[in-house]
Amino acid sequence: FKHAHAASRTNPFWNELSASNPFVHDIAASNRNENNRYLSILKEKPHLFSKVSNIDCLLRKTSSRRSGRSKSVSDFLDIVDNQRLHPRETTPQKTIVSDMTWLQNDREAYKMAWLSHRQLTRSCLDLEAMSHSPGWAQTQATDIHVVCKLNYEGGSVQLPDSDINIHVPVGHVLPGEFQEVGLKAILNPPSSFNNELSSTISPLIELTLSNLNTREAIFLEVKVAAKVKNDPLSQVMSDIVCFYSFNKEGPFKKLENCYTYQDTIQVKLTDLSHVMYAVIAVQANKIQPPATNVWDYVHRMVSVGIYGPKYIHPSFTAVFTVFGHNYIPGKLTICDIKKGGKNMPPVVFQLWGKHTFLLEKPQDLNISLVSCDPDFEVKIEDQSKNIKEEDLKTGEMVRQQFLFSMLGCREMHFFVFLVQIKVLKSSQVTQFHVTTPDPAPKLCGIISRPKRLQNRKEIKSAPLLLIPTVKYPKFQDKTLSVNTYGVALKTVLRQNKIDYLLEYFKGDTIALLGEDKVKAIGQTKIKEWYVGILRKKIGLVHCKNIKVISKEQAMDIADSELTTRNLAEQIALPFKKLTYIYSVVLSTVSESVCDWRALAEVLGYSHMSLDDFNEAHADKESERVAHVVKRMKEDCHANKKKRLFLYELIVALLKIDCQGLVARLTQDTIILTSAVKLGKYWRELAEKLARLTKQQIEAYEIPHQGKNGAVALEMMWKPAYDFLYTWAAHYGDSYRDVLQDLQSALDKMKNPVTKHWRELTGTLILVNCMDVLRASAFSKMEEEE
């Protein structure tokens, strides 16, 4: 018990992991609060039954604190406990709640159920919470099935996202008894039913019942992927039938109690068992010329799904999938992905788009994917692929992979691509468009922030993407208001000067800009620092070298005074040496700044008027802002020795209080510059930041490999950028955390680049000074007016 208690205090993942892992369930107390909403999957059929009750389904939306992972049976056991101990006093309704007591009373049975239900799946393109716990963050349930509990009144159960239903009539079980119905779709049907005389048109359906003490039969209703043609020959020669078995591998028998209407079949199941399997097929008595196989007697629909990662990445794989039925699951486990000639771990992909088209007979298909966005392209060898006629005849899923990549280092965004399907032996062409999901998500609410950050005062800047809707405040150049000071306890003078580190004499009074500490490497060791001002210079001072005092205790503060203008100009100094992409900066600023006049004034173009814009720039505010930025870029280019574009732009944005925009530009440029500085050493950083395996690191490098199978040294910044961009995106708007964690990781490398490249430290000073700048430079009275 002592060990368990200690672990719960020292292991930050203890509460989360133990709550879903049956092997530590007995030694860890789950403190979860189950407030999840139930999702009813009842599909009422009033024309079939006299009474249909609502059903609470076991498929529920995931709570945010579970980091997006699917719930296990353990969760449902907790719900039952919670409902038993804390019943809600509500008006009685005909709502039937799932009963899991048979698992609750047998933990070993639950463990086996948990293991069989859950399988390890990993997507190197979705690094959700990887920095916290890689293994658990990438484990999720991939099978989609439903289990519902019905009483004497019966009801209907539908498999989510499908046209597969089970109808249980009134009186199926005795009054007071219950029937637990399970429904699951197995995507690949038995191969024995796919030949010249037969073709499956549904998935293999697994049906489970808990109670065999029944009085009435149940009905299976399925919408299938074909219907028999109306001509007399087809009507006579073929039929849609249902095959039924108690075993997954068979043997199957054909059921007679079937009713078919166009593409829907209803089957009466009288011979019941705890586990049953059914599959629907179109079957021909014989093939009569000119027919060549059973497909000639039916109108056969082919369903395709486009699957990909949950969030797009600068390089990602999309999977084109053909199904022999019309059930297209929302998630698909891909087990045959290869990169660099090596097998990758199973990946769970999300459904991006789907399409259904008529295919008169099995024949060779040509599949091509074309990006509609110039920023993305499909790898040349993946632009066009074929699917063989023989593969379609098997009735199994057929997949083709297409590798997308972003061109250059443009800003990530969702885009649209075209899917084109050509029938090679005819002129038939089917095409549809698919929209990708957004790039890496804002997971600030999903990924827990380190404890050192939870108690820290939050920066009061606007969110990164917030566009002001009021006039920008007037920047006031006045002396900073400082409340905390430090007295130097020793003299620190360095023979080799280090950027952004202050030098001082014993007894100096240093103004401290806030009480937050910065962790960064000094001359040789990683230390904690305050941001301070001394002799008109901003920099870091080692926390142990000063005694913190209040403003009232400070004796002489003349050397620690600074104006707001000097503060803005100094904290922007790192941008003189940071790498940036002009087009990205231009688009980001033009989309975020909503008053071109305010920006023009602080940039020194107060004389500009609407007459200076041509018609192309006069319509939208964003176009006017872009015109101002371009003008400034041209002027800086013409005077390179004295003016630096990005530096002047950042100072201007600080002067109109666009701190959220400054933070975004800071993070973007730091990520790009870090990638360039790291080169091949990014691999070491990836291991420290996210514990990436060699296979995951290789996955980042494969899209950038040359003909020799290796990434050229001058191109090594690209996989480094891909990784850092994805890693940083998981912090959401917590840009301070991104910069600090990156600084700490770089400092801990064998040969830290931060010993010589100090601009990252400079940006940490920038974000830690924003509160002080805003408080002093912008009048609260003016903001309220």
Side-chain angles (χ1 to χ4, degrees):
F1 177 81
K2 288 182 179 180
H3 174 72
H5 180 68
S8 65
R9 287 187 291 104
T10 59
N11 185 348
F13 318 121
W14 182 264
N15 291 333
E16 292 296 321
L17 301 187
S18 62
S20 64
N21 187 341
F23 303 104
V24 295
H25 181 92
D26 296 330
I27 59 172
S30 173
N31 61 352
R32 291 165 297 162
N33 180 20
E34 297 290 350
N35 293 320
N36 299 286
R37 293 171 291 174
Y38 292 168
L39 174 65
S40 175
I41 50 76
L42 172 65
K43 187 176 184 180
E44 294 187 344
K45 301 285 184 179
H47 61 283
L48 292 175
F49 306 105
S50 59
K51 292 183 180 180
V52 179
S53 61
N54 292 324
I55 301 170
D56 283 333
C57 178
L58 298 188
L59 292 179
R60 301 172 298 134
K61 291 187 177 181
T62 315
S63 67
S64 59
R65 71 164 297 179
R66 289 293 301 273
S67 301
R69 290 186 280 109
S70 300
K71 299 296 192 216
S72 64
V73 177
S74 176
D75 299 307
F76 306 128
L77 298 183
D78 292 336
I79 295 174
V80 174
D81 286 339
N82 191 45
Q83 291 175 342
R84 177 170 54 84
L85 296 174
H86 307 285
R88 292 179 295 177
E89 295 181 1
T90 57
T91 304
Q93 296 179 348
K94 295 181 179 179
T95 300
I96 306 164
V97 183
S98 174
D99 183 9
M100 286 291 172
T101 54
W102 65 280
L103 283 178
Q104 186 179 15
N105 297 328
D106 189 346
R107 281 290 164 184
E108 289 303 317
Y110 163 57
K111 291 175 184 178
M112 295 306 297
W114 184 88
L115 286 172
S116 64
H117 173 65
R118 210 170 184 85
Q119 64 186 82
L120 181 63
T121 53
R122 176 172 293 149
S123 169
C124 64
L125 306 184
D126 180 8
L127 299 179
E128 177 175 320
M130 175 177 278
S131 60
H132 287 247
S133 181
W136 283 93
Q138 298 167 8
T139 303
Q140 53 186 304
T142 56
D143 291 331
I144 296 179
H145 63 275
V146 60
V147 180
C148 291
K149 183 178 174 183
L150 307 175
N151 62 6
Y152 171 82
E153 294 183 348
S156 295
V157 180
Q158 181 187 21
L159 187 68
D161 302 319
S162 79
D163 292 304
I164 302 173
N165 301 271
I166 289 291
H167 302 299
V168 180
V170 175
H172 170 69
V173 293
L174 295 171
E177 293 192 8
F178 297 91
Q179 179 67 280
E180 198 168 79
V181 180
L183 197 57
K184 176 181 175 181
I186 300 170
L187 297 178
N188 285 331
S191 58
S192 58
F193 292 112
N194 288 283
N195 48 57
E196 298 300 325
L197 293 173
S198 177
S199 179
T200 54
I201 49 179
S202 82
L204 179 62
I205 301 165
E206 180 184 274
L207 172 64
T208 59
L209 300 176
S210 63
N211 186 358
L212 296 184
N213 183 25
T214 61
R215 291 185 172 186
E216 296 286 341
I218 62 176
F219 295 84
L220 171 66
E221 182 178 292
V222 183
K223 184 175 181 180
V224 295
K227 60 182 178 180
V228 178
K229 293 179 179 178
N230 291 327
D231 63 274
L233 181 63
S234 298
Q235 290 286 325
V236 171
M237 300 300 294
S238 63
D239 195 11
I240 294 177
V241 296
C242 176
F243 293 94
Y244 180 78
S245 175
F246 293 149
N247 297 300
K248 185 177 179 180
E249 294 77 18
F252 287 82
K253 65 177 182 180
K254 185 166 71 172
L255 296 181
E256 302 298 333
N257 298 323
C258 299
Y259 170 74
T260 304
Y261 177 72
Q262 293 187 347
D263 61 353
T264 301
I265 184 172
Q266 190 175 92
V267 185
K268 185 177 182 179
L269 303 178
T270 56
D271 190 8
L272 303 179
S273 176
H274 285 297
V275 182
M276 298 157 283
Y277 296 89
V279 63
I280 315 299
V282 57
Q283 193 173 49
N285 301 323
K286 66 176 182 179
I287 304 300
Q288 181 174 317
T292 58
N293 60 50
V294 69
W295 282 51
D296 291 318
Y297 296 135
V298 297
H299 291 300
R300 179 67 186 262
M301 304 302 294
V302 173
S303 297
V304 298
I306 302 294
Y307 291 85
K310 190 174 182 180
Y311 307 101
I312 64 170
H313 180 271
S315 177
F316 63 84
T317 297
V319 178
F320 176 94
T321 308
V322 180
F323 296 93
H325 43 76
N326 56 9
Y327 174 53
I328 304 178
K331 293 182 180 180
L332 189 65
T333 303
I334 311 295
C335 301
D336 56 353
I337 285 187
K338 290 187 177 181
K339 292 190 177 181
K342 297 181 179 180
N343 289 323
M344 301 300 292
V347 179
V348 175
F349 273 2
Q350 315 290 317
L351 178 65
W352 286 1
K354 58 185 177 179
H355 187 73
T356 302
F357 64 97
L358 178 67
L359 188 63
E360 292 295 346
K361 60 181 179 179
Q363 47 194 314
D364 294 348
L365 302 177
N366 174 262
I367 315 300
S368 60
L369 269 61
V370 181
S371 173
C372 300
D373 191 306
D375 291 347
F376 295 85
E377 68 174 3
V378 182
K379 199 173 180 180
I380 295 177
E381 54 267 34
D382 288 345
Q383 289 179 355
S384 179
K385 294 188 176 183
N386 293 332
I387 292 178
K388 298 294 184 182
E389 172 185 334
E390 291 73 18
D391 294 331
L392 294 177
K393 287 182 178 180
T394 65
E396 296 183 353
M397 286 187 299
V398 184
R399 298 192 294 261
Q400 291 289 359
Q401 299 175 19
F402 295 83
L403 181 63
F404 282 82
S405 60
M406 186 174 63
L407 298 176
C409 287
R410 296 175 175 86
E411 185 177 9
M412 281 291 296
H413 55 82
F414 72 88
F415 66 99
V416 177
F417 60 88
L418 174 70
V419 181
Q420 193 172 70
I421 307 167
K422 297 179 182 178
V423 179
L424 292 180
K425 294 181 181 180
S426 72
S427 59
Q428 180 183 352
V429 177
T430 298
Q431 61 184 28
F432 61 101
H433 289 87
V434 174
T435 302
T436 71
D438 290 325
K442 303 296 183 185
L443 294 178
C444 54
I446 297 178
I447 299 180
S448 299
R449 303 173 74 187
K451 286 186 177 180
R452 62 179 174 79
L453 301 165
Q454 291 176 356
N455 298 325
R456 190 181 64 190
K457 181 182 178 182
E458 291 294 329
I459 190 165
K460 295 180 181 179
S461 64
L464 299 190
L465 299 178
L466 181 62
I467 300 177
T469 56
V470 296
K471 69 175 184 177
Y472 290 100
K474 183 75 173 178
F475 182 83
Q476 302 171 32
D477 184 15
K478 60 183 183 181
T479 303
L480 284 176
S481 176
V482 179
N483 297 319
T484 308
Y485 291 83
V487 177
L489 302 177
K490 59 185 291 188
T491 298
V492 176
L493 299 173
R494 301 179 183 88
Q495 186 174 358
N496 296 319
K497 306 299 181 184
I498 300 177
D499 291 341
Y500 307 108
L501 298 189
L502 288 178
E503 294 184 335
Y504 41 87
F505 295 98
K506 184 177 181 179
D508 279 344
T509 300
I510 304 170
L512 302 183
L513 302 183
E515 298 181 7
D516 284 346
K517 298 176 182 178
V518 173
K519 280 188 177 181
I521 195 168
Q523 203 149 5
T524 56
K525 297 180 180 180
I526 299 174
K527 301 176 181 178
E528 287 190 335
W529 313 78
Y530 289 118
V531 179
I533 301 173
L534 182 63
R535 286 181 277 276
K536 310 297 182 184
K537 185 177 180 181
I538 300 173
L540 300 179
V541 55
H542 189 196
C543 295
K544 292 185 178 180
N545 289 348
I546 61 171
K547 179 183 178 181
V548 179
I549 60 175
S550 65
K551 183 178 182 179
E552 292 73 21
Q553 293 174 304
M555 300 291 292
D556 183 8
I557 60 174
D559 284 345
S560 56
E561 290 183 346
L562 196 72
T563 66
T564 53
R565 180 178 63 83
N566 288 334
L567 176 64
E569 291 172 351
Q570 282 201 47
I571 61 179
L573 285 175
F575 290 91
K576 288 187 174 183
K577 298 181 181 179
L578 291 178
T579 304
Y580 67 94
I581 301 171
Y582 172 68
S583 60
V584 173
V585 173
L586 178 64
S587 62
T588 303
V589 174
S590 60
E591 292 169 3
S592 303
V593 176
C594 69
D595 185 352
W596 72 270
R597 293 182 186 276
L599 181 61
E601 184 175 349
V602 292
L603 284 173
Y605 300 113
S606 56
H607 59 278
M608 289 184 68
S609 66
L610 287 175
D611 296 334
D612 295 315
F613 298 96
N614 56 37
E615 293 183 2
H617 297 131
D619 293 339
K620 297 181 180 180
E621 191 69 21
S622 61
E623 293 171 349
R624 297 169 186 164
V625 172
H627 180 73
V628 174
V629 175
K630 290 177 182 177
R631 170 75 178 275
M632 196 260 287
K633 172 67 173 176
E634 293 171 358
D635 291 346
C636 289
H637 185 73
N639 191 6
K640 291 182 180 179
K641 292 184 178 180
K642 293 185 178 181
R643 301 187 63 180
L644 292 169
F645 165 72
L646 188 60
Y647 168 74
E648 292 191 14
L649 179 62
I650 295 297
V651 172
L653 294 174
L654 288 173
K655 287 184 177 181
I656 58 174
D657 201 28
C658 286
Q659 292 193 358
L661 178 56
V662 170
R664 178 177 174 181
L665 292 172
T666 301
Q667 181 172 311
D668 289 348
T669 52
I670 279 293
I671 287 174
L672 179 59
T673 310
S674 299
V676 174
K677 293 290 182 183
L678 282 168
K680 65 180 181 180
Y681 297 105
W682 82 272
R683 300 163 181 161
E684 180 187 347
L685 179 69
E687 292 177 0
K688 291 183 179 297
L689 275 179
R691 299 179 185 175
L692 292 195
T693 64
K694 290 183 178 179
Q695 290 77 13
Q696 290 169 328
I697 290 174
E698 287 177 2
Y700 278 99
E701 295 188 353
I702 287 173
H704 308 292
Q705 290 176 351
K707 294 181 179 179
N708 61 351
V711 181
L713 286 177
E714 63 272 16
M715 302 295 288
M716 195 62 78
W717 68 271
K718 291 187 175 182
Y721 177 82
D722 292 350
F723 163 72
L724 285 172
Y725 183 94
T726 305
W727 167 78
H730 294 307
Y731 284 75
D733 294 342
S734 301
Y735 50 86
R736 278 190 182 184
D737 304 351
V738 172
L739 300 177
Q740 180 61 79
D741 290 352
L742 181 58
Q743 173 83 52
S744 299
L746 291 173
D747 289 343
K748 293 176 183 177
M749 292 178 66
K750 293 179 182 178
N751 296 298
V753 295
T754 42
K755 270 193 173 184
H756 312 287
W757 174 62
R758 297 278 178 170
E759 273 57 55
L760 175 53
T761 307
T763 59
L764 279 171
I765 294 175
L766 163 70
V767 298
N768 276 278
C769 290
M770 285 184 172
D771 278 343
V772 175
L773 178 64
R774 170 171 282 170
S776 298
F778 302 102
S779 170
K780 293 182 180 179
M781 293 293 293
E782 182 180 344
E783 289 180 11
E784 292 173 359
E785 290 175 357

